[in-house]
Amino acid sequence: MDRVAAFLYGLIAYLIFFGTFLYAIGFVGNAFVPKSIDSGEGVFSLPALVIDALLLGLFAIQHSVMARQWFKRLWTRIIPTPIERSTYVLMASLCLDLLYWQWRSMTEVVWDAQNSAGHTALVALYWAGWLTVLGSTFMVSHFDLFGLRQVGLYFKRKEHAPIGFKTPMLYKQVRHPIYLGFLIAFWATPKMTLGHLVFAMATTGYILVAIQLEEHDLIAFFGDAYRQYRQRTPMLLPFMKKAK
């Protein structure tokens, strides 16, 4: 029964994540969802800025702290190891859901692409960003990344083995294609509002910090293999000078 419960928990956490991911596409793109980043007629105010900053900060803290190895060691003294990743994914999804719910729009226009070709290009780039995010997760191990592989193996009474270090497809061009996809999706918009700009700037800053934390852990895990990968592969911008 413990194994069945763990599998169901992981499955529910994954479904909540996937719904949250789909909502993010509509939220940032102002399409298909009841409340988006520019919903309403909100304008700049200090309270709105503080609330949005707190919402973004909550996600950043959860997303970074719960991913650190020292936290995982403490956390798995409380919860079973097979559901650790699912719990991380669930908490991140709930933080994002709270952000969607409580986000304060600031609709002053920063730029508005009136040219038809420019508008179309930015929309296409926006969707390309999200496809890059999703596609990149499958290039490594989508179901391991979001906890389903762990609970599935536990349900089958099999040991979980790390997927190891590999650099398929886009990972040969940049070290962090998932983050690259997010950056494209967050900045590629025909109409940039002040609230959207705050969101894009904050998430960009967080991504740059998160990469440093993540790579510190990756070097600890994979040693020289990852150091060599860093030397030959750019961090975010393909075809740019190789990272030192």
Side-chain angles (χ1 to χ4, degrees):
M1 289 301 296
D2 288 346
R3 296 176 188 276
V4 172
F7 180 76
L8 290 175
Y9 175 79
L11 180 60
I12 291 169
Y14 177 82
L15 292 174
I16 291 173
F17 146 74
F18 202 72
T20 300
F21 175 78
L22 293 177
Y23 197 99
I25 298 173
F27 180 80
V28 178
N30 293 296
F32 315 123
V33 296
K35 182 179 180 182
S36 69
I37 201 166
D38 294 327
S39 289
E41 298 179 358
V43 296
F44 173 80
S45 68
L46 186 57
L49 182 61
V50 169
I51 290 171
D52 291 348
L54 288 172
L55 292 167
L56 289 162
L58 177 63
F59 172 78
I61 292 169
Q62 178 278 326
H63 198 257
S64 289
V65 171
M66 288 188 73
R68 305 281 68 80
Q69 293 304 306
W70 62 265
F71 184 90
K72 291 181 181 182
R73 286 192 292 269
L74 294 173
W75 190 224
T76 49
R77 295 177 185 175
I78 302 170
I79 67 167
T81 299
I83 66 167
E84 179 273 325
R85 187 65 185 182
S86 293
T87 303
Y88 171 80
V89 169
L90 178 61
M91 293 299 103
S93 299
L94 294 177
C95 286
L96 285 176
D97 293 339
L98 177 64
L99 184 148
Y100 303 151
W101 176 36
Q102 291 297 321
W103 181 260
R104 302 300 193 261
S105 64
M106 292 178 274
T107 56
E108 295 89 339
V109 177
V110 178
W111 74 66
D112 189 0
Q114 300 292 328
N115 178 272
S116 178
H119 185 281
T120 301
L122 286 168
V123 171
L125 198 57
Y126 172 79
W127 285 103
W130 287 110
L131 287 173
T132 299
V133 171
L134 185 60
S136 296
T137 67
F138 282 98
M139 292 173 198
V140 279
S141 179
H142 176 87
F143 296 112
D144 191 88
L145 188 62
F146 298 108
L148 269 185
R149 178 170 175 261
Q150 291 86 330
V151 295
L153 290 172
Y154 182 62
F155 177 72
K156 296 177 181 178
R157 301 178 183 272
K158 295 181 179 179
E159 290 293 323
H160 174 262
I163 60 173
F165 178 59
K166 56 183 181 178
T167 59
M169 301 174 72
L170 289 181
Y171 288 85
K172 288 183 171 64
Q173 306 302 319
V174 293
R175 302 198 302 273
H176 300 279
I178 294 175
Y179 285 141
L180 174 60
F182 277 125
L183 290 173
I184 293 170
F186 294 161
W187 285 96
T189 176
K191 186 177 182 180
M192 177 66 80
T193 63
L194 182 59
H196 193 151
L197 182 63
V198 167
F199 179 90
M201 291 177 65
T203 50
T204 299
Y206 168 68
I207 283 171
L208 295 176
V209 172
I211 285 174
Q212 304 310 310
L213 296 172
E214 185 175 319
E215 294 204 329
H216 179 271
D217 288 347
L218 289 168
I219 290 171
F221 282 137
F222 301 116
D224 287 341
Y226 195 82
R227 290 189 184 95
Q228 293 168 11
Y229 177 58
R230 287 185 72 188
Q231 290 175 353
R232 67 176 184 267
T233 310
M235 183 171 72
L236 287 169
L237 300 177
F239 315 118
M240 298 293 288
K241 184 178 179 179
K242 294 178 182 178
K244 295 181 180 180

